[in-house]
Amino acid sequence: WLTFLLAAVAILLASFYGGMRTTVTHDRITIRFGTPGYRVLHLNTKDVAEVALHSYMPLKEFGGYGIRANRHMSAYYLSGGTGVQLATREGKKHLIGSNHPQRLAEVIRTVAGLEVTP
């Protein structure tokens, strides 16, 4: 049983390898983690009220990397110090890490029908 248990844990841990993928379509914003693509965030673009760049300190503000949350927002990132902060019409805030935060913010603003900054 121990061998089976260790193999199962190894397979589970290996499935998280593969990084983070953010997909933005006309209808939704989706964040997936790992090789299998575990969906961790799924937002309708109609629900996005605000989009802004947000500088953050991962260890100080959220206590580490990955899928995190503090009193103000939930965060999804693997590296970096600048991300895209989304505010929904319900008042929830989400921080999405990106290697290209300006480009991601502009794409989200465009598909959500928000004012695009020059």
Side-chain angles (χ1 to χ4, degrees), residues 30-110:
T30 307
I31 299 176
R32 296 180 182 274
F33 272 89
T35 302
Y38 299 116
R39 187 172 71 185
V40 295
L41 179 67
H42 186 75
L43 286 176
N44 191 326
T45 55
K46 295 174 188 173
D47 295 336
V48 177
E50 289 181 36
V51 178
L53 293 178
H54 179 76
S55 295
Y56 59 94
M57 296 171 51
L59 295 174
K60 183 178 180 183
E61 291 182 48
F62 298 100
Y65 294 87
I67 304 167
R68 301 291 179 156
N70 64 18
R71 291 183 198 158
H72 308 289
M73 71 182 85
S74 57
Y76 311 88
Y77 57 86
L78 294 177
S79 64
T82 303
V84 178
Q85 180 179 325
L86 306 177
T88 65
R89 299 196 189 285
E90 298 173 347
K92 294 182 181 179
K93 292 184 181 179
H94 304 278
L95 176 65
I96 303 172
S98 174
N99 291 335
H100 307 284
Q102 293 89 356
R103 188 174 358 174
L104 179 60
E106 293 305 318
V107 168
I108 294 172
R109 281 187 190 109
T110 301

